Each structure stands twice: as C-alpha cells, then as structure tokens.
Amino acid sequence: MAYSMDIENAGKAVEIINQLAIFLRTARIHNISNSAVIAATDKFVDLVNELIDLEHTIVIEIRGEYLYFNANRIRYCPEHLLNLDYLIREFKKIEIGTIIIHSKISPEHIRIFIELFLKSDQSEAPFEYMRKGMSGIFCIELKKIQDISEDNFDRKKIARKTYFNAVSSYKDMFQKVRSDEKINLKKAKRIITSVIGQIIEQEQILLGITTIKDYDEYTYYHSANVSILSVALGRRMGMNHKMLIDLGMVSLFHDLGKIKIPYEVLNKPAKLSESEWSIVKNHPKWGVKSILKMRSLDPLTMNAALVAFEHHMNIDHSGYPQIKHRGELDLFSRIVSIADQYDAMISKRVYTKYPMSPDKALRELMEKSGDKLDSLILKFFVNMVGLYPIGTLVVLNSRELGLVYENNQEALHRPRIMIISDNNGNWISGPVVDLKEKNGNSGYLRTIIKTMHPKQYNINLAEYFL
Ligand SMILES: [Fe+2]
Ligand SMILES: [Fe+2]
C-alpha cells in the first residue's frame, strides 16, 4: 500500500538525492570553493526549491538500508547506485537519520551544511556538532538516526506518539487563539507531516488509535481525529503530499469557531434548548473570523476558512449555515464533513451517555450517500474503515467475542479480530486472529455472526488500542 508521488515528482526526488551525494562527494575530494562543488550545490538548490513549491516539505530519511523521500522508498537504479550508497554510509557515520527541508533554501545554507559535514569527522559527537552548526538555519532540520530494530519492534509506540503530539499541539494552538496570541503554524505543519508519514506506513494502526476518545477534552481529540481521518481519506483518493498537508491543516481547524461557544453550552449534559442550539450553529461563522484573524490571506488560510464555514453543510444544501448563493461545496469540505460526522457519532459526549458503535455510524453515513454526503468520497471512506470499522465489537460463530483490530483490504468482511472473550465466556486480551484463516475442509475457521454495542459489555476501547 505505497503512497505514490506524482511520477514526475518521483523522478525529481531521485535527482535531488543524487545531487546531494554529488556535491558532498565532490567537496570531500576538492575544496568547498571548487567550481564543480559550487555548480553541483546550485543545481541542488534549484531542484529543491522547484519541488518545495509542489510538495510543501521535503523529508529525506534513512531507514535500514534504504532512502526515503517524502515517505516514498527510493528505487535504486544502476546509474545512481554508487551515489545513494555513498550517502547512506556517510549519513550513518554522522548519525543523520532525517533531513527535513521546510521551505526554500539558498546556496549559502548548503555551503554551511557542507562545511559542517567536512569537519564533522573531527568531532566526537558528529551529529550534535552538525545540528548545533545548523541551528540558526530554520529551513533545514536534522534528526538523528533511529535504531531500526527498535523502530520495527514497536511501531505502535510511534503511531501513539504521533497521535498524542497532534492532540496536545492542537490543544496548545486552540488555547493560544482563545487568548489572542499568535499561533505557530510551522508546528502544525510538522505535526501533519508526521501524521502523513504514519498513515503511509501504518494506516490501520493510526486509524485504530483514533477510536480513543476523551470525554473532557473532546474538541482536541476530535480535531486530531478528523484531521487524521481526512488525510487518510485524501491519500486513498490519490492526493499528492502538498495536497495532503493542506487538507491536514485545514481539517485541524474546522471547529476552531467553537472557542466562542460558552462553556456551559458546549458541555451541557442535557439536550440543548432552541436558543442554545442556535448559538452552537454559529461556530462555522466564528471559525471563519478566527481563522482570518490568525494570519495573512494566503490560499491555505482561505481554504481553511471555507471549510470551517461549510463543514456542516450538506451537498443538497440542507444543514447549516443556510446561505442564498448555493454553489458546489469545496472538495475539502466534503471530505471533512464525512470525517467529522463519523468521529462525532462514535464519540462519547457529555450529552450522549453511550456513543454509537462504529458499524452503526457507518451505516448511518451510508444512508446519507448521494443526497447529504458525496457518494464517491463516501465509497473511499467505507473502503478505508472497512465494513466493520476498527473497534467494532463482534460475535463469532466460534462463540468468541472480539474487537475488529485491522482491516483486510482484499476481504472487507473478514477483518483481523482481537479476541476478548473465549468460548467459555472468560475475558482475555488477545490473540489477534485473521478471519481469512481457513480450516482443513476449506471453510473458514471463524466468521462474524453479528455486531454488538460495546456498552452492553461495558468495554473501553482505549484499553485495547493503547
Ligand atoms: Fe463543527
Ligand atoms: Fe467537528
């Protein structure tokens, strides 16, 4: 399930990495002011700046024996083999694991990088030496190489970290907006970049984590979940890296207008009155105001404002706010509205004692297909979360009880299940079984008979997914 960069961009990615190796190799042989080094550096800068416009961020990473460019593994071809190999060896020596280029660079930045690179062998802590030297250059970030065995050992841990980082930085941003402080959008972009990386690597694990809800901090968790679901959906629809970053940022801010809803209304443990409900319905409009106040009117800001405004509108123009001029809803708005409704339905809220089970929520969304929700995008969504979304409680014909743990893309009705109660009714935690597994007579070992509501068994999903 590889995320595919545009073919043209993939070609540029190889060229950029190759060029990086060329100027470092040349600089090792000659000195830094040699004309071949300068020419190679200039070419690298041009290539990077051209691609930054399209992909927003460039992440070059070493994992094991491979190089990755914006989470795509670089395929070795004979003409580049020596250069790529050189790069991996040199970076491992210095312990550089990742180079992130956040914005356009200049030849001067690269000259500093080369100087540090050449001198780093004399340092006892080469990575720290390089990072310190680069600390004033904000467009380039270096990360230390990770222990790959540990990386494989606990991939879930990394997904978890990405998730909680997203929640806590959203909380931080939300509070800054509330107190009229400037927020750091670069940080948000970094978070989204790592979310995208995780979705490419382990979509199902990250989707599993979004089933975790926190009732008191609903808005923060909800915003992170909607952003993760939207980005995952965008990737399924074939969006490129830049579009995914934009979608991630825009969806993160969809409910920003909620800061203006009084606490007693937002957290009322009972049904809202007519007048309270009309206050809530203002949050799309307030969202637009807060977003526009946040920064200059660039296209991303405008898009975020539009999505904040449209995310409760339906494609048949029902929903809110009601407006006179009815055009087609923005693509991002249509995506965010599906992610938003799904996450809201399966979340426990102050006023709903029990959230809806994920499969029921999916069925409700499917009923709105075509008139309220975009049917094509919804199809991608169903394919992504599966017929039995992660976290659904199922009864098996083996008389075991289990939670959907991961989807099987080739057989959406036969997901992988974590058994939580054995056929004698004893509560257990695992194993994870595959419903595609067959018995000797070519029948299936286990099959889902029906789904149940977790409330009937008082099951806390977080216990199983954390
Ligand atoms: Fe909303
Ligand atoms: Fe929302």
Side-chain angles (χ1 to χ4, degrees), residues 281 312-323 326 372:
K281 280 181 168 174
H312 287 289
M313 289 181 175
N314 298 318
I315 58 171
D316 63 358
H317 303 292
S318 56
Y320 64 89
Q322 280 292 318
I323 49 164
R326 297 165 162 189
K372 299 223 168 354

Side-chain angles (χ1 to χ4, degrees), residues 16 45 71 98 105 142 176 178 196 312 362 367 384 431 454:
I16 286 176
V45 170
T98 313
I105 52 171
L142 300 181
K176 285 217 166 103
R178 182 175 274 144
I196 295 171
H312 287 289
L362 199 60
E367 265 160 39
M384 177 175 88

